[in-house]
Amino acid sequence: MNNIYQVKAYFGDTDAAGIVFYPNFYKWMDQATTELIGKTILPISVLYKEKHILLPLIETFCEYYSVKIWWIFTPKLQK
């Protein structure tokens, strides 16, 4: 299965130097997980309300290999 979740980093997602604040990566991973489950099984809201199934996040891990800068991470507008 191929599942791509694209994220656009906004200036508010960064610190004063324009570097993406690291907790945002966890937020985006959680959003991607929610989208994947919603596309493959059922939306998480339906799983909870109708099936009484919760999907808690037990553990997560992330390795940072380089700095992501806002103006590099955000697509440029084309005319």
Side-chain angles (χ1 to χ4, degrees):
M1 167 184 240
N2 188 7
N3 186 56
I4 298 173
Y5 181 74
Q6 294 184 333
V7 174
K8 182 175 181 180
Y10 292 92
F11 186 72
D13 296 323
T14 67
D15 60 15
I19 299 170
V20 174
F21 188 50
Y22 76 92
N24 287 318
F25 290 102
Y26 289 97
K27 175 179 70 173
W28 296 328
M29 286 189 295
D30 184 56
Q31 291 170 353
T33 301
T34 300
E35 290 294 319
L36 178 63
I37 292 169
K39 288 180 181 178
T40 57
I41 304 172
L42 282 173
I44 288 182
S45 60
V46 174
L47 284 174
Y48 176 68
K49 290 177 184 174
E50 296 178 11
K51 308 289 184 184
H52 307 290
I53 296 173
L54 291 174
L55 301 172
L57 180 62
I58 304 298
E59 184 176 339
T60 186
F61 177 79
C62 191
E63 286 188 28
Y64 302 97
Y65 294 105
S66 67
V67 174
K68 294 296 180 193
I69 300 175
W70 173 75
W71 51 269
I72 292 175
F73 202 61
T74 303
K76 295 181 180 178
L77 297 175
Q78 300 289 327
K79 287 189 176 185

